[in-house]
Amino acid sequence: LRCSCRRWGGLVQTGGSLRLSCAASGFAVDDYAIGWFRQAPGKEREGISCIGNGDGVTYYAESMRGRFTISKDNAKNTVYLQMNNLKPEDTAVYSCAADSAQGSGRHFCKYGMDHWGKGTQVTVSS
């Protein structure tokens, strides 16, 4: 099982946007819980947004609600994270993840997932 994380847009200034994509292989994103996480230097990993595979409800961390949007394209077996109005504090390594267990988006964002994609650096300049 593998997620390949790609970044579109490059380095971004405050207020800018970026779109991350994660192409899954070896499993179908429609059958798994999927999510995006980030980790800034010196900080713990943070769940950004997760879609559970129980009720399918999407969870967003409060600080990113309204700015970030998770989505998936089942035909392309790809998960996306659209990030708008980026701030310097959004600078971190971003990773996608997936899990076959049943659970809510909130649960997975809090406790993490089993399968992780390679992270990609996002830097927001002030």
Short mmCIF file of all heavy atoms in Angstrom, two decimals, residues 1-6 21-25 27 32-39 44-50 70 79 81 93-100 105-120:
data_model
loop_
_atom_site.label_atom_id
_atom_site.label_comp_id
_atom_site.label_asym_id
_atom_site.label_seq_id
_atom_site.Cartn_x
_atom_site.Cartn_y
_atom_site.Cartn_z
N LEU A 1 0.85 -1.17 0.00
CA LEU A 1 0.00 0.00 0.00
C LEU A 1 0.89 1.23 0.00
O LEU A 1 1.82 1.33 0.79
CB LEU A 1 -0.91 0.02 1.22
CG LEU A 1 -1.81 -1.19 1.41
CD1 LEU A 1 -2.66 -1.00 2.64
CD2 LEU A 1 -2.69 -1.40 0.20
N ARG A 2 0.60 2.12 -0.86
CA ARG A 2 1.48 3.27 -0.98
C ARG A 2 0.70 4.50 -1.38
O ARG A 2 -0.23 4.43 -2.18
CB ARG A 2 2.56 2.98 -2.02
CG ARG A 2 3.63 4.06 -2.16
CD ARG A 2 4.80 3.48 -2.95
NE ARG A 2 4.38 3.09 -4.28
CZ ARG A 2 4.50 3.87 -5.35
NH1 ARG A 2 4.95 5.08 -5.23
NH2 ARG A 2 4.13 3.43 -6.54
N CYS A 3 1.06 5.63 -0.78
CA CYS A 3 0.52 6.92 -1.18
C CYS A 3 1.68 7.78 -1.65
O CYS A 3 2.65 7.94 -0.92
CB CYS A 3 -0.18 7.62 -0.02
SG CYS A 3 -1.72 6.88 0.49
N SER A 4 1.60 8.31 -2.81
CA SER A 4 2.63 9.21 -3.31
C SER A 4 2.10 10.63 -3.24
O SER A 4 1.12 10.97 -3.89
CB SER A 4 2.96 8.86 -4.77
OG SER A 4 3.48 7.55 -4.84
N CYS A 5 2.75 11.43 -2.43
CA CYS A 5 2.28 12.79 -2.17
C CYS A 5 2.97 13.75 -3.13
O CYS A 5 4.19 13.79 -3.20
CB CYS A 5 2.57 13.16 -0.72
SG CYS A 5 1.79 14.68 -0.19
N ARG A 6 2.21 14.50 -3.85
CA ARG A 6 2.75 15.48 -4.76
C ARG A 6 2.21 16.86 -4.42
O ARG A 6 1.08 17.01 -4.01
CB ARG A 6 2.39 15.14 -6.21
CG ARG A 6 2.90 13.81 -6.67
CD ARG A 6 2.58 13.60 -8.12
NE ARG A 6 3.19 14.61 -8.97
CZ ARG A 6 2.94 14.73 -10.27
NH1 ARG A 6 2.06 13.94 -10.85
NH2 ARG A 6 3.53 15.66 -10.99
N SER A 21 -1.69 16.56 -3.76
CA SER A 21 -2.39 15.36 -4.22
C SER A 21 -1.66 14.13 -3.71
O SER A 21 -0.45 14.15 -3.49
CB SER A 21 -2.48 15.34 -5.74
OG SER A 21 -1.20 15.18 -6.31
N CYS A 22 -2.40 13.08 -3.55
CA CYS A 22 -1.85 11.82 -3.05
C CYS A 22 -2.46 10.69 -3.87
O CYS A 22 -3.65 10.41 -3.75
CB CYS A 22 -2.19 11.66 -1.57
SG CYS A 22 -1.61 10.14 -0.83
N ALA A 23 -1.64 10.08 -4.72
CA ALA A 23 -2.09 8.98 -5.56
C ALA A 23 -1.88 7.67 -4.81
O ALA A 23 -0.76 7.36 -4.40
CB ALA A 23 -1.33 8.97 -6.88
N ALA A 24 -2.93 6.93 -4.64
CA ALA A 24 -2.86 5.68 -3.90
C ALA A 24 -2.61 4.51 -4.84
O ALA A 24 -3.11 4.48 -5.97
CB ALA A 24 -4.16 5.45 -3.14
N SER A 25 -1.86 3.54 -4.36
CA SER A 25 -1.65 2.31 -5.12
C SER A 25 -1.76 1.12 -4.18
O SER A 25 -1.32 1.20 -3.04
CB SER A 25 -0.28 2.31 -5.81
OG SER A 25 0.75 2.36 -4.86
N PHE A 27 -4.55 -0.10 -3.08
CA PHE A 27 -5.83 -0.08 -2.41
C PHE A 27 -6.69 0.99 -3.04
O PHE A 27 -6.20 1.87 -3.74
CB PHE A 27 -5.66 0.19 -0.91
CG PHE A 27 -5.20 1.59 -0.59
CD1 PHE A 27 -6.10 2.57 -0.20
CD2 PHE A 27 -3.85 1.92 -0.66
CE1 PHE A 27 -5.67 3.85 0.11
CE2 PHE A 27 -3.42 3.19 -0.36
CZ PHE A 27 -4.32 4.16 0.02
N TYR A 32 -11.18 2.97 1.99
CA TYR A 32 -10.37 3.26 3.16
C TYR A 32 -10.72 4.62 3.74
O TYR A 32 -11.19 5.52 3.04
CB TYR A 32 -8.89 3.29 2.77
CG TYR A 32 -8.21 1.95 2.72
CD1 TYR A 32 -8.67 0.94 1.90
CD2 TYR A 32 -7.11 1.69 3.53
CE1 TYR A 32 -8.05 -0.30 1.86
CE2 TYR A 32 -6.46 0.47 3.50
CZ TYR A 32 -6.94 -0.53 2.66
OH TYR A 32 -6.31 -1.74 2.63
N ALA A 33 -10.45 4.75 5.02
CA ALA A 33 -10.42 6.09 5.62
C ALA A 33 -9.17 6.78 5.10
O ALA A 33 -8.11 6.15 4.98
CB ALA A 33 -10.37 5.99 7.14
N ILE A 34 -9.29 8.04 4.77
CA ILE A 34 -8.13 8.77 4.26
C ILE A 34 -8.01 10.10 4.98
O ILE A 34 -8.98 10.64 5.51
CB ILE A 34 -8.22 8.97 2.72
CG1 ILE A 34 -9.57 9.57 2.33
CG2 ILE A 34 -8.02 7.67 1.98
CD1 ILE A 34 -9.52 11.07 2.12
N GLY A 35 -6.79 10.63 5.00
CA GLY A 35 -6.60 11.89 5.70
C GLY A 35 -5.30 12.58 5.35
O GLY A 35 -4.44 12.00 4.68
N TRP A 36 -5.20 13.80 5.78
CA TRP A 36 -3.98 14.60 5.64
C TRP A 36 -3.51 15.03 7.02
O TRP A 36 -4.32 15.43 7.86
CB TRP A 36 -4.25 15.84 4.79
CG TRP A 36 -4.41 15.54 3.33
CD1 TRP A 36 -5.57 15.32 2.65
CD2 TRP A 36 -3.35 15.42 2.37
NE1 TRP A 36 -5.31 15.08 1.33
CE2 TRP A 36 -3.95 15.14 1.13
CE3 TRP A 36 -1.97 15.54 2.44
CZ2 TRP A 36 -3.21 14.95 -0.04
CZ3 TRP A 36 -1.23 15.36 1.27
CH2 TRP A 36 -1.85 15.08 0.06
N PHE A 37 -2.20 14.97 7.20
CA PHE A 37 -1.58 15.34 8.45
C PHE A 37 -0.41 16.28 8.15
O PHE A 37 0.08 16.33 7.02
CB PHE A 37 -1.06 14.09 9.18
CG PHE A 37 -2.15 13.14 9.57
CD1 PHE A 37 -2.74 12.30 8.64
CD2 PHE A 37 -2.58 13.08 10.88
CE1 PHE A 37 -3.75 11.42 9.00
CE2 PHE A 37 -3.59 12.20 11.26
CZ PHE A 37 -4.17 11.37 10.32
N ARG A 38 0.06 16.96 9.17
CA ARG A 38 1.24 17.79 9.00
C ARG A 38 2.05 17.80 10.28
O ARG A 38 1.54 17.53 11.36
CB ARG A 38 0.85 19.22 8.61
CG ARG A 38 0.21 20.04 9.72
CD ARG A 38 -0.22 21.41 9.20
NE ARG A 38 -0.71 22.25 10.27
CZ ARG A 38 -1.22 23.47 10.06
NH1 ARG A 38 -1.29 23.98 8.83
NH2 ARG A 38 -1.66 24.18 11.08
N GLN A 39 3.33 18.08 10.12
CA GLN A 39 4.20 18.19 11.28
C GLN A 39 5.21 19.31 11.03
O GLN A 39 5.98 19.27 10.06
CB GLN A 39 4.93 16.88 11.56
CG GLN A 39 5.71 16.89 12.86
CD GLN A 39 6.12 15.51 13.31
OE1 GLN A 39 6.13 14.55 12.54
NE2 GLN A 39 6.45 15.39 14.59
N GLU A 44 4.35 18.37 17.45
CA GLU A 44 3.76 17.06 17.24
C GLU A 44 2.99 17.02 15.92
O GLU A 44 2.55 18.06 15.42
CB GLU A 44 2.84 16.69 18.40
CG GLU A 44 3.56 16.49 19.72
CD GLU A 44 2.63 15.98 20.80
OE1 GLU A 44 1.41 15.89 20.56
OE2 GLU A 44 3.13 15.67 21.89
N ARG A 45 2.83 15.82 15.41
CA ARG A 45 2.02 15.65 14.21
C ARG A 45 0.59 16.10 14.48
O ARG A 45 0.05 15.85 15.56
CB ARG A 45 2.03 14.19 13.79
CG ARG A 45 1.32 13.91 12.47
CD ARG A 45 1.26 12.41 12.24
NE ARG A 45 0.45 11.74 13.23
CZ ARG A 45 0.58 10.46 13.56
NH1 ARG A 45 1.51 9.74 12.97
NH2 ARG A 45 -0.21 9.93 14.47
N GLU A 46 0.00 16.73 13.49
CA GLU A 46 -1.35 17.29 13.63
C GLU A 46 -2.25 16.76 12.52
O GLU A 46 -1.86 16.80 11.35
CB GLU A 46 -1.26 18.81 13.57
CG GLU A 46 -2.56 19.55 13.67
CD GLU A 46 -2.37 21.05 13.56
OE1 GLU A 46 -1.35 21.49 13.00
OE2 GLU A 46 -3.26 21.79 14.02
N GLY A 47 -3.40 16.28 12.89
CA GLY A 47 -4.38 15.86 11.89
C GLY A 47 -5.06 17.07 11.30
O GLY A 47 -5.61 17.88 12.03
N ILE A 48 -5.02 17.20 9.98
CA ILE A 48 -5.62 18.35 9.31
C ILE A 48 -7.09 18.06 8.99
O ILE A 48 -7.98 18.80 9.38
CB ILE A 48 -4.88 18.66 7.99
CG1 ILE A 48 -3.42 18.99 8.26
CG2 ILE A 48 -5.60 19.78 7.24
CD1 ILE A 48 -2.59 19.05 7.00
N SER A 49 -7.29 17.00 8.24
CA SER A 49 -8.63 16.63 7.82
C SER A 49 -8.65 15.14 7.51
O SER A 49 -7.72 14.63 6.89
CB SER A 49 -9.05 17.42 6.58
OG SER A 49 -10.35 17.05 6.17
N CYS A 50 -9.68 14.48 7.94
CA CYS A 50 -9.81 13.04 7.74
C CYS A 50 -11.24 12.68 7.38
O CYS A 50 -12.18 13.27 7.92
CB CYS A 50 -9.39 12.27 8.99
SG CYS A 50 -7.68 12.55 9.51
N ILE A 70 -10.49 18.83 1.93
CA ILE A 70 -10.07 17.49 1.51
C ILE A 70 -11.08 16.96 0.50
O ILE A 70 -12.28 17.23 0.60
CB ILE A 70 -9.95 16.54 2.71
CG1 ILE A 70 -9.30 15.22 2.30
CG2 ILE A 70 -11.31 16.31 3.36
CD1 ILE A 70 -9.00 14.30 3.49
N VAL A 79 -6.30 11.39 -3.62
CA VAL A 79 -6.83 12.25 -2.57
C VAL A 79 -6.17 13.62 -2.69
O VAL A 79 -4.97 13.71 -3.00
CB VAL A 79 -6.55 11.66 -1.19
CG1 VAL A 79 -7.12 12.54 -0.09
CG2 VAL A 79 -7.14 10.25 -1.09
N LEU A 81 -5.75 17.82 -1.16
CA LEU A 81 -5.92 18.79 -0.09
C LEU A 81 -5.73 20.17 -0.70
O LEU A 81 -4.63 20.53 -1.11
CB LEU A 81 -4.92 18.58 1.05
CG LEU A 81 -5.08 19.55 2.22
CD1 LEU A 81 -6.40 19.26 2.96
CD2 LEU A 81 -3.90 19.46 3.19
N VAL A 93 5.74 19.80 7.12
CA VAL A 93 5.75 18.67 6.20
C VAL A 93 4.35 18.06 6.21
O VAL A 93 3.83 17.70 7.27
CB VAL A 93 6.80 17.62 6.61
CG1 VAL A 93 6.70 16.39 5.71
CG2 VAL A 93 8.20 18.22 6.54
N TYR A 94 3.77 17.95 5.04
CA TYR A 94 2.41 17.44 4.89
C TYR A 94 2.44 16.02 4.34
O TYR A 94 3.20 15.72 3.40
CB TYR A 94 1.61 18.33 3.95
CG TYR A 94 1.21 19.65 4.57
CD1 TYR A 94 2.17 20.62 4.87
CD2 TYR A 94 -0.12 19.92 4.88
CE1 TYR A 94 1.80 21.81 5.46
CE2 TYR A 94 -0.49 21.12 5.46
CZ TYR A 94 0.47 22.06 5.74
OH TYR A 94 0.10 23.25 6.33
N SER A 95 1.60 15.15 4.92
CA SER A 95 1.55 13.76 4.49
C SER A 95 0.11 13.29 4.36
O SER A 95 -0.75 13.71 5.15
CB SER A 95 2.26 12.86 5.51
OG SER A 95 3.61 13.23 5.68
N CYS A 96 -0.10 12.43 3.40
CA CYS A 96 -1.41 11.77 3.31
C CYS A 96 -1.31 10.41 4.00
O CYS A 96 -0.22 9.88 4.20
CB CYS A 96 -1.84 11.61 1.87
SG CYS A 96 -0.72 10.62 0.86
N ALA A 97 -2.45 9.88 4.36
CA ALA A 97 -2.47 8.60 5.05
C ALA A 97 -3.79 7.89 4.78
O ALA A 97 -4.77 8.52 4.36
CB ALA A 97 -2.28 8.80 6.55
N ALA A 98 -3.79 6.59 5.04
CA ALA A 98 -4.99 5.78 4.83
C ALA A 98 -5.05 4.68 5.87
O ALA A 98 -4.02 4.27 6.43
CB ALA A 98 -4.98 5.18 3.42
N ASP A 99 -6.26 4.20 6.12
CA ASP A 99 -6.46 3.14 7.10
C ASP A 99 -7.68 2.32 6.71
O ASP A 99 -8.72 2.88 6.33
CB ASP A 99 -6.65 3.75 8.49
CG ASP A 99 -6.37 2.76 9.60
OD1 ASP A 99 -7.02 1.69 9.61
OD2 ASP A 99 -5.51 3.04 10.45
N SER A 100 -7.55 0.99 6.80
CA SER A 100 -8.66 0.13 6.42
C SER A 100 -9.65 -0.10 7.56
O SER A 100 -10.75 -0.62 7.33
CB SER A 100 -8.13 -1.23 5.95
OG SER A 100 -7.42 -1.86 6.99
N GLY A 105 -13.76 10.23 11.11
CA GLY A 105 -12.68 11.12 10.71
C GLY A 105 -11.99 11.74 11.92
O GLY A 105 -10.77 11.87 11.95
N ARG A 106 -12.76 12.09 12.91
CA ARG A 106 -12.20 12.70 14.13
C ARG A 106 -11.22 11.72 14.80
O ARG A 106 -10.15 12.10 15.25
CB ARG A 106 -13.31 13.07 15.10
CG ARG A 106 -12.82 13.66 16.41
CD ARG A 106 -13.99 13.93 17.33
NE ARG A 106 -14.87 14.96 16.82
CZ ARG A 106 -14.70 16.26 17.06
NH1 ARG A 106 -13.68 16.66 17.80
NH2 ARG A 106 -15.54 17.13 16.56
N HIS A 107 -11.63 10.45 14.86
CA HIS A 107 -10.78 9.43 15.49
C HIS A 107 -9.45 9.31 14.77
O HIS A 107 -8.38 9.31 15.39
CB HIS A 107 -11.51 8.08 15.48
CG HIS A 107 -10.63 6.93 15.88
ND1 HIS A 107 -10.43 6.56 17.19
CD2 HIS A 107 -9.89 6.08 15.13
CE1 HIS A 107 -9.62 5.52 17.24
NE2 HIS A 107 -9.27 5.21 16.00
N PHE A 108 -9.51 9.20 13.44
CA PHE A 108 -8.28 9.00 12.70
C PHE A 108 -7.38 10.23 12.74
O PHE A 108 -6.16 10.11 12.80
CB PHE A 108 -8.60 8.63 11.25
CG PHE A 108 -9.11 7.23 11.09
CD1 PHE A 108 -10.39 6.98 10.64
CD2 PHE A 108 -8.30 6.15 11.39
CE1 PHE A 108 -10.87 5.69 10.50
CE2 PHE A 108 -8.75 4.85 11.25
CZ PHE A 108 -10.05 4.63 10.81
N CYS A 109 -7.96 11.40 12.72
CA CYS A 109 -7.14 12.61 12.80
C CYS A 109 -6.47 12.73 14.16
O CYS A 109 -5.39 13.30 14.28
CB CYS A 109 -7.99 13.85 12.50
SG CYS A 109 -7.91 14.37 10.76
N LYS A 110 -7.09 12.18 15.16
CA LYS A 110 -6.51 12.26 16.50
C LYS A 110 -5.44 11.20 16.71
O LYS A 110 -4.40 11.47 17.30
CB LYS A 110 -7.60 12.10 17.56
CG LYS A 110 -7.09 12.20 18.99
CD LYS A 110 -8.24 12.11 19.99
CE LYS A 110 -7.71 12.24 21.41
NZ LYS A 110 -8.80 12.17 22.42
N TYR A 111 -5.67 9.99 16.23
CA TYR A 111 -4.79 8.86 16.55
C TYR A 111 -3.90 8.43 15.39
O TYR A 111 -3.00 7.62 15.58
CB TYR A 111 -5.62 7.68 17.03
CG TYR A 111 -6.33 7.96 18.34
CD1 TYR A 111 -7.70 8.16 18.37
CD2 TYR A 111 -5.61 8.03 19.52
CE1 TYR A 111 -8.35 8.43 19.57
CE2 TYR A 111 -6.25 8.30 20.73
CZ TYR A 111 -7.62 8.50 20.74
OH TYR A 111 -8.24 8.77 21.93
N GLY A 112 -4.13 8.96 14.21
CA GLY A 112 -3.30 8.59 13.07
C GLY A 112 -3.85 7.40 12.32
O GLY A 112 -4.90 6.85 12.65
N MET A 113 -3.12 7.03 11.26
CA MET A 113 -3.56 5.95 10.39
C MET A 113 -2.43 4.95 10.18
O MET A 113 -1.29 5.21 10.56
CB MET A 113 -4.03 6.53 9.05
CG MET A 113 -5.28 7.40 9.20
SD MET A 113 -5.84 8.01 7.59
CE MET A 113 -7.43 8.70 8.06
N ASP A 114 -2.74 3.83 9.56
CA ASP A 114 -1.76 2.75 9.41
C ASP A 114 -0.80 2.95 8.25
O ASP A 114 0.35 2.51 8.32
CB ASP A 114 -2.48 1.41 9.22
CG ASP A 114 -3.04 0.87 10.52
OD1 ASP A 114 -2.64 1.38 11.58
OD2 ASP A 114 -3.86 -0.05 10.47
N HIS A 115 -1.27 3.54 7.19
CA HIS A 115 -0.46 3.63 5.97
C HIS A 115 -0.19 5.09 5.65
O HIS A 115 -1.12 5.90 5.58
CB HIS A 115 -1.17 2.95 4.80
CG HIS A 115 -1.59 1.55 5.10
ND1 HIS A 115 -0.70 0.51 5.22
CD2 HIS A 115 -2.82 1.02 5.35
CE1 HIS A 115 -1.35 -0.60 5.51
NE2 HIS A 115 -2.63 -0.33 5.60
N TRP A 116 1.09 5.40 5.42
CA TRP A 116 1.50 6.79 5.25
C TRP A 116 2.21 7.01 3.92
O TRP A 116 3.01 6.20 3.49
CB TRP A 116 2.45 7.20 6.37
CG TRP A 116 1.76 7.21 7.69
CD1 TRP A 116 1.59 6.17 8.55
CD2 TRP A 116 1.09 8.32 8.29
NE1 TRP A 116 0.87 6.57 9.65
CE2 TRP A 116 0.55 7.88 9.52
CE3 TRP A 116 0.91 9.65 7.92
CZ2 TRP A 116 -0.17 8.73 10.38
CZ3 TRP A 116 0.20 10.49 8.76
CH2 TRP A 116 -0.34 10.03 9.97
N GLY A 117 1.91 8.14 3.30
CA GLY A 117 2.62 8.56 2.12
C GLY A 117 3.85 9.34 2.52
O GLY A 117 3.98 9.82 3.65
N LYS A 118 4.75 9.48 1.57
CA LYS A 118 5.94 10.29 1.81
C LYS A 118 5.54 11.75 1.93
O LYS A 118 4.79 12.26 1.12
CB LYS A 118 6.94 10.11 0.68
CG LYS A 118 8.26 10.81 0.89
CD LYS A 118 9.21 10.51 -0.27
CE LYS A 118 10.55 11.21 -0.07
NZ LYS A 118 11.46 10.92 -1.20
N GLY A 119 6.04 12.43 2.93
CA GLY A 119 5.66 13.80 3.16
C GLY A 119 6.26 14.77 2.17
O GLY A 119 7.25 14.49 1.50
N THR A 120 5.65 15.93 2.07
CA THR A 120 6.14 16.99 1.21
C THR A 120 6.17 18.29 1.99
O THR A 120 5.27 18.58 2.78
CB THR A 120 5.27 17.14 -0.05
OG1 THR A 120 5.87 18.08 -0.94
CG2 THR A 120 3.86 17.61 0.28
#
